[in-house]
Amino acid sequence: MGKLSEMDDDDDDDDVGDHDEDHPGMEVVLHEDKKYYPTAEEVYGPEVETIVQEEDTQPLTEPIIKPVKTKKFTLMEQTLPVTVYEMDFLADLMDNSELIRNVTLCGHLHHGKTCFVDCLIEQTHPEIRKRYDQDLCYTDILFTEQERGVGIKSTPVTVALPDTKGKSYLFNIMDTPGHVNFSDEVTAGLRISDGVVLFIDAAEGVMLNTERLIKHAVQERLAVTVCINKIDRLILELKLPPTDAYYKLRHIVDEVNGLISMYSTDENLILSPLLGNVCFSSSQYSICFTLGSFAKIYADTFGDINYQEFAKRLWGDIYFNPKTRKFTKKAPTSSSQRSFVEFILEPLYKILAQVVGDVDTSLLRTLDELGIHLTKEELKLNIHPLLRLVCKKFFGEFTGFVDMCVQHIPSPKVGAKPKIEHTYTGGVDSDLGEAMSDCDPDGPLMCHTTKMYSTDDGVQFHAFGRVLSGTIHAGQPVKVLGENYTLEDEEDSQICTVGRLWISVARYHIEVNRVPAGNWVLIEGVDQPIVKTATITEPRGNEEAQIFRPLKFNTTSVIKIAVEPVNPSELPKMLDGLRKVNKSYPSLTTKVEESGEHVILGTGELYLDCVMHDLRKMYSEIDIKVADPVVTFCETVVETSSLKCFAETPNKKNKITMIAEPLEKGLAEDIENEVVQITWNRRKKLGEFFQTKYDWDLLAARSIWAFGPDATGPNILVDDTLPSEVDKALLGSVKDSIVQGFQWGTREGPLCDELIRNVKFKILDAVVAQEPLHRGGGQIIPTARRVVYSAFLMATPRLMEPYYFVEVQAPADCVSAVYTVLARRRGHVTQDAPIPGSPLYTIKAFIPAIDSFGFETDLRTHTQGQAFSLSVFHHWQIVPGDPLDKSIVIRPLEPQPAPHLAREFMIKTRRRKGLSEDVSISKFFDDPMLLELAKQDVVLNYPM
């Protein structure tokens, strides 16, 4: 029996075995051992590294393979548009520098610069109007500009325009932003222009930026002409009678002349329609005339009129006597109108009134008399387009504007010499200087670039500038000199190869193979070494070439924001983006603080908003965190040092003694505006300036060693030592080191590492080692800096903060609300007055920059959006309170009373920069000095 059972068992085993081979998959396999898919090794073979991810990290919204995303930030034409002239004709005009005019159009915000350029574009590009609707804004090429409705960048346009006689000129026009935050763009445009056309809104008159631009243009020694724009507003909006409109226009011209005489030393610079340097326009209705071009319309209609003579009698208190058909100075009858009113304003009023009023009844008859013929379709147009069409046919092309620019703005050939004298750092007398003064296309190449325009996708930049001598060719090698280049230190220069060259016309570029002297040019391939401005010259042979001085802006960047990427690993991307925005905005400054934070300095909120938009969207495409905005401070003193401060060098062989005291009022501004320069002759010019204007004694004025922290810094170092006590020769041998220490000290003050301002440091005594080995820079420089600090701290130090000048326009019933908003932000009103001939008031005020964040929004909220404000840096003012008063306790999250502000600002700035909480004085005082203090029993409330 047992045997059988064994047999059975064996059979069973065999059965199971057979079963395995014949019917696979029937066995029981545990869940975890199941194998649904082949392993990675089986699929890819051995020795292939594979990675398995447990869960999908890519969101469903993201495609696995992304489509190629083209970045596009500007509106550009796809093909060259049709123009009324051949492109070859434009290129031929470039060779004749006498037929070129380089002009910047500038003016206050929304005074019609861009719209005026649109009229010129429309005049030269017949197809343009069909493709775009009413508001063309051809020079607002950035999408952000179109969305905000405000210009952000200067945009160049090059067109050929005919004057009244039909002669063509090549116009290089720079359309600049009108917002005060972007006045750095205007500066970049002015540098390469020979003259400006200042736009003034006829209804608003001279505004905040108008005044600043007049001053700026006069300082840049440019020819100034004026275009009074939007004259239709006097008629259709303010509904002024013609005589009042004349008074309003005359008031604007007088006001501008008043400003020019205030800022200019040139007595002959007067603006008047009679001289031909004032033109009148309304860009919206395509109107533009000067007295001459309007007189020409009369001459063309009635024949046999000497229009130039007629034009001379169309402004001022001159009347036409219809009986004698002569012009007289006295009014023939009591109802007589001035000639400007009778011959220019009244016809203009009549045309506008006819079109706005009786379209169906008498308009056709009137137009027939004027020789204007409209089709039936055109007569059915709405009022605005119809008015535009009628005016366009009546006034024709903008020849008056061309006449004005041709007569009153010098050509590049004539304007070259003053331009070179003002902007070139080298001498004008050299061969190179003469080639530039003659605007010689065959001379050595000199090209000055002032702007950088990024390509459509924001990857590269093209440099934009003006060729001052020689001819630049596409593909040629050039030497690019940066802003730090000097003949002694040639580090900041690089040889590049020029790519393509273009003539820029806002939304399209005309490619050319060479550009001769006198023209503007857009250059590819040289952007890598350029940061702000550059000088482009021959790679070899032109060794004595020096640079054009960097741009001098009429505003100061005082608002700071700190930025960091949300994802720290993206820091390199952000740095690259910062480098690019730095190229894109002329006055932007980026720097890294000691604490490692990246700081961006700009002129205002709108400015920094645009910078951040570009940084996030165009140049780095990453998430960036921004700290709350703060402002830069300055440090100053209000008394003379309470005792002589001295410091010894580490080797105990030298000792310097100094005191600090405040500078005379107005002197710091004079140094900054280069009214006085350190390079002047000490004995004559410099000594005289300080003696006459600030009654220094001649000896002190002659012994000025330096301004600091740089050549135009608002502090002075004076050598006040006596030859009987100090060996002047030895002192002279360490002069450079002491000056360097002084400049280092004034660049980073002791209170919170900000610039020192408005302080005079006097060296009273100096003990200097005999052996040169013991008086090296390493010994003297830090000691000089330390003594600057101790003298500064002994002279009642104070903080200074930047103040903004604010101009608010508001209707009369909102004025009190404006006062309230300003008072809440430590602001104070200096003036409020009605704007003549309009229902609005202008309120002028000062407000601390640190309290100006969100001011505009606040103002709009309180006035239901009726008030409009612009603010711009004006001056530095001392913050109330003592920054070193230890008794003040700063409680977190509580607004501080005024006397505590200085302390609060200082402590918070120090915290932000990663410095110790308080200024420790023992850091800047030597032991002997501290003993001296103890001897004199000086009570210090500083921590030791």
Side-chain angles (χ1 to χ4, degrees):
M1 197 60 191
K3 187 131 189 195
L4 193 76
S5 65
E6 273 173 22
M7 286 266 311
D8 282 343
D9 280 343
D10 285 343
D11 276 3
D12 282 2
D13 287 356
D14 284 341
D15 277 346
V16 173
D18 296 348
H19 177 99
D20 268 3
E21 283 150 26
D22 299 349
H23 313 285
M26 289 296 285
E27 76 278 23
V28 175
V29 179
L30 289 175
H31 169 66
E32 54 266 23
D33 297 338
K34 275 189 183 165
K35 184 171 152 192
Y36 293 105
Y37 302 111
T39 62
E41 193 176 344
E42 287 166 22
V43 177
Y44 300 110
E47 293 184 11
V48 176
E49 190 180 337
T50 55
I51 179 168
V52 178
Q53 288 199 331
E54 291 296 314
E55 56 188 63
D56 192 358
T57 52
Q58 188 169 8
L60 282 175
T61 49
E62 236 178 81
I64 294 175
I65 297 172
K66 288 185 193 163
V68 178
K69 189 172 132 203
T70 52
K71 295 205 292 184
K72 192 168 184 313
F73 298 101
T74 52
L75 261 178
M76 297 303 272
E77 301 274 1
Q78 298 310 309
T79 54
L80 282 185
V82 181
T83 47
V84 292
Y85 43 78
E86 298 287 325
M87 291 301 173
D88 297 346
F89 175 63
L90 193 75
D92 288 344
L93 279 174
M94 288 165 58
D95 281 323
N96 188 343
S97 59
E98 282 161 12
L99 297 181
I100 302 172
R101 291 295 179 276
N102 297 326
V103 187
T104 294
L105 307 188
C106 60
H108 190 73
L109 184 64
H110 296 321
H111 278 196
K113 302 170 288 296
T114 302
C115 198
F116 189 86
V117 178
D118 287 347
C119 293
L120 297 175
I121 288 283
E122 217 178 305
Q123 179 183 315
T124 48
H125 300 64
E127 307 282 311
I128 290 276
R129 180 55 67 185
K130 293 175 191 163
R131 279 186 315 190
Y132 294 100
D133 54 357
Q134 184 62 36
D135 293 330
L136 184 57
C137 290
Y138 200 72
T139 50
D140 286 349
I141 52 178
L142 293 172
F143 291 137
T144 46
E145 290 182 314
Q146 304 217 323
E147 285 158 16
R148 290 176 187 273
V150 56
I152 294 170
K153 297 265 174 249
S154 294
T155 313
V157 172
T158 300
V159 284
L161 299 170
D163 68 358
T164 317
K165 296 178 181 144
K167 181 175 181 180
S168 286
Y169 288 85
L170 181 71
F171 269 72
N172 292 320
I173 296 170
M174 186 65 92
D175 176 34
T176 60
H179 197 289
V180 277
N181 277 7
F182 300 107
S183 38
D184 55 342
E185 295 284 336
V186 184
T187 308
L190 294 185
R191 173 57 68 89
I192 52 174
S193 305
D194 295 303
V196 301
V197 179
L198 184 70
F199 276 70
I200 302 176
D201 181 332
E204 290 187 353
V206 174
M207 299 287 291
L208 164 75
N209 209 19
T210 320
E211 190 174 326
R212 297 177 64 83
L213 289 166
I214 291 173
K215 182 178 180 183
H216 197 33
V218 166
Q219 281 173 344
E220 290 291 321
R221 303 186 195 166
L222 295 172
V224 181
T225 59
V226 162
C227 175
I228 299 181
N229 197 13
K230 302 198 189 185
I231 49 173
D232 61 285
R233 286 185 69 183
L234 301 178
I235 305 168
L236 302 174
E237 197 176 303
L238 299 179
K239 300 187 171 56
L240 295 178
T243 315
D244 289 5
Y246 165 75
Y247 284 134
K248 176 95 172 135
L249 293 171
R250 197 178 72 182
H251 174 69
I252 291 174
V253 175
D254 291 347
E255 208 173 340
V256 173
N257 278 323
L259 289 168
I260 287 181
S261 63
M262 190 159 88
Y263 297 127
S264 170
T265 49
D266 179 10
E267 298 296 321
N268 304 328
L269 189 54
I270 294 173
L271 294 172
S272 161
L274 292 170
L275 297 171
N277 50 13
V278 176
C279 80
F280 303 93
S281 68
S282 161
S283 327
Q284 194 176 6
Y285 298 117
S286 204
I287 297 171
C288 174
F289 61 89
T290 54
L291 299 186
S293 70
F294 210 106
K296 179 89 163 49
I297 297 176
Y298 276 103
D300 293 346
T301 313
F302 299 111
D304 192 30
I305 299 178
N306 179 345
Y307 74 89
Q308 275 126 341
E309 284 301 314
F310 181 34
K312 285 179 187 163
R313 293 169 174 75
L314 285 180
W315 181 261
D317 299 331
I318 291 185
Y319 302 85
F320 180 66
N321 186 337
K323 292 197 182 95
T324 58
R325 300 195 64 72
K326 282 195 170 69
F327 285 93
T328 57
K329 288 277 171 72
K330 290 196 176 69
T333 62
S334 57
S335 62
S336 292
Q337 301 275 27
R338 288 178 174 79
S339 57
F340 182 76
V341 175
E342 187 177 344
F343 291 104
I344 293 182
L345 287 181
E346 289 201 338
L348 188 60
Y349 270 70
K350 280 177 187 157
I351 293 170
L352 293 181
Q354 287 279 349
V355 178
V356 174
D358 332 328
V359 175
D360 307 324
T361 49
S362 59
L363 179 64
L364 272 172
R365 200 173 68 244
T366 315
L367 292 182
D368 276 346
E369 282 177 30
L370 295 172
I372 297 173
H373 304 293
L374 300 179
T375 63
K376 286 198 172 125
E377 270 67 42
E378 287 172 336
L379 279 169
K380 287 180 190 158
L381 286 168
N382 277 345
I383 296 287
H384 278 303
L386 181 63
L387 197 47
R388 187 187 175 92
L389 192 67
V390 171
C391 293
K392 196 171 173 180
K393 292 198 182 234
F394 178 71
F395 287 100
E397 299 187 320
F398 280 22
T399 55
F401 169 77
V402 178
D403 285 343
M404 175 176 85
C405 295
V406 168
Q407 286 159 20
H408 295 278
I409 292 177
S411 68
K413 200 172 178 68
V414 180
K417 198 166 170 53
K419 178 62 90 191
I420 304 304
E421 284 169 355
H422 185 58
T423 60
Y424 185 54
T425 52
V428 190
D429 311 330
S430 58
D431 294 346
L432 181 60
E434 279 174 15
M436 288 194 287
S437 304
D438 295 342
C439 193
D440 179 6
D442 304 320
L445 171 66
M446 283 297 273
C447 172
H448 180 31
T449 68
T450 61
K451 280 266 317 132
M452 304 282 280
Y453 291 103
S454 73
T455 47
D456 267 4
D457 52 5
V459 176
Q460 265 184 320
F461 284 88
H462 297 151
F464 185 78
R466 168 172 169 174
V467 185
L468 287 139
S469 76
T471 303
I472 188 166
H473 293 269
Q476 82 173 78
V478 290
K479 188 173 180 186
V480 180
L481 314 178
E483 291 188 348
N484 298 325
Y485 175 89
T486 55
L487 293 179
E488 295 76 49
D489 174 16
E490 300 192 355
E491 187 187 354
D492 193 5
S493 67
Q494 192 172 329
I495 305 258
C496 298
T497 304
V498 172
R500 293 168 291 176
L501 300 175
W502 296 278
I503 299 301
S504 174
V505 191
R507 292 191 191 174
Y508 67 93
H509 301 324
I510 307 162
E511 194 174 334
V512 287
N513 53 11
R514 65 181 182 88
V515 175
N519 289 284
W520 290 355
V521 59
L522 193 62
I523 311 169
E524 180 186 49
V526 295
D527 58 317
Q528 196 266 320
I530 305 178
V531 184
K532 303 286 190 194
T533 65
T535 306
I536 295 177
T537 180
E538 307 279 354
R540 271 183 296 290
N542 192 9
E543 301 305 329
E544 81 274 17
Q546 295 188 42
I547 60 165
F548 293 91
R549 67 187 74 218
L551 298 177
K552 187 157 174 53
F553 300 111
N554 68 346
T555 59
T556 316
S557 297
V558 290
I559 296 193
K560 284 191 194 185
I561 47 175
V563 289
E564 63 172 354
V566 172
N567 179 355
S569 64
E570 291 176 326
L571 184 66
K573 277 188 188 170
M574 188 185 84
L575 292 183
D576 184 52
L578 281 175
R579 221 166 283 126
K580 285 178 174 166
V581 284
N582 201 11
K583 289 185 177 203
S584 176
Y585 289 83
S587 74
L588 189 76
T589 334
T590 55
K591 63 176 191 198
V592 186
E593 292 281 11
E594 299 272 317
S595 59
E597 65 177 356
H598 293 272
V599 173
I600 302 178
L601 284 154
T603 52
E605 288 183 82
L606 179 65
Y607 189 90
L608 285 170
D609 195 47
C610 295
V611 170
M612 288 312 298
H613 168 275
D614 286 4
L615 186 57
R616 287 179 169 131
K617 301 275 192 304
M618 269 171 91
Y619 298 127
S620 60
E621 290 191 281
I622 56 172
D623 290 337
I624 291 176
K625 278 194 292 202
V626 178
D628 285 339
V630 284
V631 298
T632 49
F633 292 106
C634 276
E635 309 180 11
T636 190
V637 300
V638 287
E639 291 168 17
T640 305
S641 302
S642 50
L643 71 162
K644 295 180 185 175
C645 298
F646 62 85
E648 290 181 338
T649 52
N651 64 9
K652 303 279 185 280
K653 305 252 195 234
N654 311 278
K655 178 171 150 188
I656 307 170
T657 308
M658 267 192 206
I659 60 166
E661 57 184 58
L663 282 179
E664 286 80 358
K665 197 172 163 36
L667 182 48
E669 286 74 19
D670 276 353
I671 298 175
E672 285 180 318
N673 298 332
E674 295 185 17
V675 178
V676 52
Q677 293 174 11
I678 193 72
T679 49
W680 287 355
N681 180 325
R682 296 284 144 88
R683 297 208 162 273
K684 293 200 184 123
K685 207 169 170 187
L686 198 69
E688 261 169 39
F689 176 86
F690 279 97
Q691 205 181 0
T692 51
K693 196 163 174 192
Y694 291 106
D695 22 282
W696 284 32
D697 63 78
L698 194 57
L699 201 63
R702 283 181 184 173
S703 52
I704 290 176
W705 268 12
F707 296 158
D710 46 42
T712 59
N715 304 289
I716 298 182
L717 177 63
V718 181
D719 168 22
D720 217 12
T721 55
L722 298 170
S724 55
E725 294 171 6
V726 173
D727 183 343
K728 287 284 190 179
L730 272 179
L731 186 58
S733 67
V734 293
K735 174 177 172 178
D736 287 350
S737 298
I738 295 180
V739 166
Q740 260 180 299
F742 156 74
Q743 295 191 326
W744 181 17
T746 50
R747 186 171 290 116
E748 311 168 346
L751 296 181
C752 48
D753 249 2
E754 299 281 0
L755 293 167
I756 288 181
R757 178 183 179 82
N758 212 23
V759 185
K760 171 163 69 175
F761 291 96
K762 286 183 178 173
I763 306 173
L764 298 182
D765 189 15
V767 178
V768 184
Q770 292 286 341
E771 303 81 25
L773 181 67
H774 296 316
R775 51 167 203 250
Q779 296 284 342
I780 304 283
I781 296 175
T783 306
R785 171 178 172 236
R786 222 172 50 240
V787 74
V788 159
Y789 283 168
S790 53
F792 180 88
L793 288 171
M794 291 277 83
T796 324
R798 288 285 181 265
L799 267 190
M800 294 183 101
E801 60 177 339
Y803 259 68
Y804 271 171
F805 173 71
V806 189
E807 186 176 81
V808 184
Q809 270 186 304
D813 55 340
C814 292
V815 175
S816 62
V818 177
Y819 272 80
T820 318
V821 176
L822 276 162
R824 280 222 307 266
R825 294 170 171 268
R826 291 198 294 140
H828 58 273
V829 177
T830 54
Q831 178 193 355
D832 71 342
I835 301 174
S838 84
L840 297 173
Y841 267 72
T842 302
I843 298 144
K844 295 182 176 172
F846 288 123
I847 184 172
I850 198 158
D851 288 314
S852 72
F853 305 125
F855 167 68
E856 269 189 61
T857 320
D858 209 7
L859 189 65
R860 292 208 185 103
T861 323
H862 280 77
T863 58
Q864 293 82 43
Q866 295 178 76
F868 181 74
S869 80
L870 280 172
S871 48
V872 61
F873 170 77
H874 189 268
H875 65 273
W876 293 94
Q877 194 163 314
I878 291 177
V879 184
D882 178 1
L884 298 172
D885 183 356
K886 303 278 295 177
S887 61
I888 294 173
V889 181
I890 306 286
R891 293 197 175 81
L893 302 179
E894 274 183 31
Q896 307 299 322
H900 295 184
L901 283 173
R903 177 86 178 153
E904 182 191 18
F905 290 163
M906 185 189 84
I907 286 185
K908 288 185 176 172
T909 307
R910 290 182 70 87
R911 266 184 214 154
R912 202 181 64 244
K913 293 187 175 184
L915 304 167
S916 62
E917 193 90 324
D918 225 322
V919 184
S920 84
I921 212 162
S922 51
K923 202 162 123 192
F924 306 126
F925 287 99
D926 299 356
D927 294 341
M929 180 76 203
L930 290 169
L931 288 171
E932 183 72 24
L933 290 179
K935 236 187 256 167
Q936 303 208 4
D937 201 26
V938 176
V939 179
L940 288 177
N941 54 2
Y942 309 141
M944 285 305 194

